[in-house]
Amino acid sequence: MEASSLDHRFTVKILFGMLLGMLVGLAFKYLPIPAYGYEYFISGVCDTLGQIFIRLIRMLVVPIVFVSLVCGASDLQNFKDFGRIGGKSLLLYLFTTALAISIALLVASALNIGHGMQTGQLSFNVKQAPGIKAVFLDMFTTNPILSLAEGNMLQIVFFSLLFGLALTVSGEPGAKVAQGFKSLNHVIIKLVLIIMKLAPYGVFCLLAVQFSKF
């Protein structure tokens, strides 16, 4: 009951931050506020804090995916389970990516986002879509450290599952490393909770900047 109440209060804080950010942004856009106030508060404070929040969120993505998948794969008992879980993980990644793109396109189309904006002379060369062979080969990284640094999720997913399976079949040494990953996963979850406490302030800053411009 207490946890549910805390979740409810946190959701209210985020919604309040969103609403307040929209109102502040609109105030700076339509009210006769001096330019230096806009430059200091919106372009300075809000934009900086908003970008910091986005960077913190992006910072968490790769560690969460890598460590949690290694922990999950290290609990598997055989290669059959690895194939089943690995296949589901890849399908889930592809499905959620396609779903996110579809939702973005539908919302943009429904709200007519971008209509009337003056873009000027723009040139854009559309790259040819890679073939099935290239997509399949791209799943297999030649440098897992580089994949982690670049945030190549498909390669990270495959390497994490393979690394976790290697821990499973490595006996006692693998069990010790797996336990370390489980402890690391616990720490990362705590880090996520710490950063998410900044969400009301982050969304306030981001929406204040956006509503003051558009």
Side-chain angles (χ1 to χ4, degrees):
M1 184 68 179
E2 183 179 355
S4 177
S5 178
L6 290 175
D7 292 341
H8 175 71
R9 290 200 298 267
F10 184 70
T11 302
V12 171
K13 287 182 179 180
I14 293 179
L15 294 175
F16 180 75
M18 294 173 61
L19 178 61
L20 188 60
M22 290 186 286
L23 293 176
V24 170
L26 292 173
F28 272 89
K29 181 175 179 62
Y30 292 110
L31 296 181
I33 298 176
Y36 65 84
Y38 178 89
E39 291 296 327
Y40 173 77
F41 186 72
I42 298 296
S43 298
V45 176
C46 289
D47 188 51
T48 301
L49 295 180
Q51 292 302 317
I52 289 175
F53 179 68
I54 293 295
R55 286 171 179 260
L56 290 174
I57 296 297
R58 294 176 62 184
M59 175 190 72
L60 294 173
V61 174
V62 170
I64 289 174
V65 172
F66 175 62
V67 176
S68 61
L69 284 180
V70 169
C71 290
S74 65
D75 288 333
L76 301 179
Q77 300 300 321
N78 51 53
F79 284 92
K80 182 179 180 181
D81 290 336
F82 171 76
R84 178 172 53 84
I85 299 299
K88 288 183 178 180
S89 299
L90 292 176
L91 287 176
L92 181 61
Y93 168 76
L94 295 174
F95 172 75
T96 53
T97 301
L99 181 63
I101 295 173
S102 301
I103 292 175
L105 292 176
L106 288 173
V107 172
S109 176
L111 300 180
N112 207 16
I113 295 176
H115 177 71
M117 294 182 63
Q118 300 297 325
T119 58
Q121 296 290 334
L122 294 178
S123 60
F124 180 73
N125 296 323
V126 180
K127 295 182 180 180
Q128 185 177 2
I132 298 297
K133 177 181 178 181
V135 173
F136 182 74
L137 289 176
D138 191 55
M139 293 170 49
F140 301 88
T141 180
T142 58
N143 188 340
I145 304 302
L146 182 62
S147 300
L148 291 169
E150 294 181 343
N152 190 321
M153 281 301 156
L154 203 56
Q155 293 180 355
I156 292 173
V157 168
F158 184 81
F159 175 73
S160 301
L161 295 173
L162 195 61
F163 187 79
L165 181 64
L167 295 180
T168 301
V169 299
S170 296
E172 184 179 350
K176 292 180 180 179
V177 176
Q179 185 58 45
F181 268 90
K182 291 177 182 178
S183 299
L184 180 59
N185 187 55
H186 178 75
V187 174
I188 289 178
I189 295 301
K190 293 297 183 181
L191 178 61
V192 171
L193 295 176
I194 291 173
I195 293 178
M196 286 311 298
K197 289 182 179 180
L198 303 175
Y201 312 101
V203 297
F204 164 79
C205 293
L206 291 170
L207 289 177
V209 172
Q210 294 303 317
F211 273 77
S212 68
K213 292 180 179 179
F214 306 109

